[in-house]
Amino acid sequence: MSSVLTSVALDGVRLGGAPLQGIRLEKGFLAAPDLAPDKLTGAIFQGTASDGGPVEVAVCGAEPSAQDSSLLSYRIEIWNQSKEAWENPCIATQQVPNPKALAVQSLWDERGANRDEPGKFTFACETGAIAKCIHWGYKPWATKDGQPLKDLHQACTRMVRADYCGDGRSHTRQDHVIDMYDTMGIQARTTVASANWVPSKASFEAAWTPEGASCLARTRDGQPAQSVLKQCPKRFELGERDLGEGDHCAAHLKSPRTGTAVLRNHSYGPQRPGTVTANLRRTP
């Protein structure tokens, strides 16, 4: 598609041709007064596309997420004016031929940066980075031990897309297997070999902040690390850094102003195939 769905409004909703007032977003599901969260089928929301134009968004169904029953997965369609037809805005993959979406507070721009805007939210497709990171345990509205997970979720979206510079440009390919581990113990590093993951054949890739990578050992797609430095010359400089646990950086931030790394990942080289398990993750 030449334009994608970027935001959805909580006001201006219609159901059965009548206005539906008081819609709110609560921890991953949409709610309305005197209406069960899974009874919004047929509701029409007003959205905005990346070209700035308005678009209607229909909720065609809602059901508990297969990955987390505390979340609702929505089947959505948008009205394509040129085709005069409803269609799923989420990009299908071989593994997910008819993707659903999660309702997530915050909006994300073309650079991958998120912001809160009252009265608006994102329908995050399950094949994309925002929803993947939620399914992996990084719910941006949640806390752990009193610490909010919002920054960890944002760092995860950078990591999934290998957005080293934090400018929205990706350095990964679909179904590239990664292993992640974070500072809050939600995901732990995989150290035991299995049929689907051989730690000795993977290597440290990068450490991540909400604004992008804080240090880089190599790129996921096999491009020279210098290509990333050219992409964002004000962010990185060459220089070895030892992060402990065998993780070494070849390039690091010129300044710590962009925050502390909350997430790290290992991955195979760009030619290594693999399949996902409960402890390993595929990138979009």
Side-chain angles (χ1 to χ4, degrees):
M1 299 180 183
S2 60
S3 185
V4 297
L5 180 66
T6 58
S7 70
V8 184
L10 289 170
D11 58 6
V13 183
R14 303 191 314 276
L15 180 61
L20 186 59
Q21 306 292 340
I23 294 286
R24 62 191 185 279
L25 182 58
E26 296 181 350
K27 298 181 178 180
F29 64 87
L30 294 162
D34 304 318
L35 194 64
D38 60 349
K39 302 300 183 183
L40 284 173
T41 299
I44 305 294
F45 288 75
Q46 303 305 309
T48 302
S50 56
D51 61 6
V55 62
E56 291 188 318
V57 186
V59 173
C60 303
E63 58 196 56
S65 169
Q67 293 94 330
D68 184 343
S69 60
S70 70
L71 300 171
L72 281 181
S73 290
Y74 294 91
R75 289 186 289 110
I76 62 171
E77 292 185 352
I78 63 172
W79 178 251
N80 187 318
Q81 187 67 42
S82 62
K83 296 181 180 180
E84 295 189 345
W86 293 94
E87 58 188 11
N88 190 341
C90 297
I91 297 174
T93 67
Q94 184 175 357
Q95 290 78 23
V96 188
N98 189 25
K100 302 179 183 66
L102 300 179
V104 186
Q105 192 66 49
S106 293
L107 307 179
W108 278 260
D109 63 22
E110 69 279 359
R111 296 179 63 85
N114 72 326
R115 72 181 191 280
D116 292 330
E117 187 169 330
K120 293 187 178 181
F121 69 98
T122 296
F123 268 129
C125 299
E126 64 179 309
T127 49
I130 298 168
K132 282 176 179 286
C133 290
I134 291 173
H135 285 311
W136 297 341
Y138 305 129
K139 298 175 181 177
W141 58 82
T143 62
K144 183 181 181 184
D145 300 327
Q147 298 298 313
L149 301 185
K150 187 172 183 178
D151 282 354
L152 193 49
H153 175 267
Q154 177 64 9
C156 177
T157 65
R158 300 291 191 187
M159 178 204 64
V160 169
R161 302 184 65 251
D163 181 5
Y164 305 115
C165 293
D167 58 6
R169 283 181 280 186
S170 175
H171 294 268
T172 190
R173 291 189 291 271
Q174 184 176 314
D175 292 339
H176 201 127
V177 182
I178 58 177
D179 181 37
M180 73 189 77
Y181 41 106
D182 59 75
T183 57
M184 298 182 70
I186 296 172
Q187 294 289 344
R189 180 173 172 177
T190 303
T191 58
V192 178
S194 67
N196 297 313
W197 181 254
V198 183
S200 62
K201 294 185 178 181
S203 61
F204 174 67
E205 180 186 321
W208 301 91
T209 76
E211 292 78 23
S214 63
C215 82
L216 176 66
R218 60 174 178 81
T219 63
R220 194 177 306 168
D221 60 5
Q223 294 184 42
Q226 286 81 358
S227 66
V228 175
L229 272 65
K230 291 179 181 179
Q231 180 180 321
C232 47
K234 295 182 179 180
R235 182 177 180 87
F236 294 110
E237 62 184 356
L238 292 174
E240 291 284 337
R241 287 284 174 87
D242 184 354
L243 302 184
E245 301 180 273
D247 294 345
H248 296 269
C249 303
H252 57 82
L253 292 177
K254 291 183 176 180
S255 167
R257 64 183 183 280
T258 53
T260 303
V262 293
L263 190 64
R264 302 185 205 173
N265 81 287
H266 279 217
S267 61
Y268 288 130
Q271 302 303 316
R272 174 80 185 196
T275 56
V276 71
T277 71
N279 295 321
L280 304 175
R281 316 297 173 189
R282 289 178 185 244
T283 61

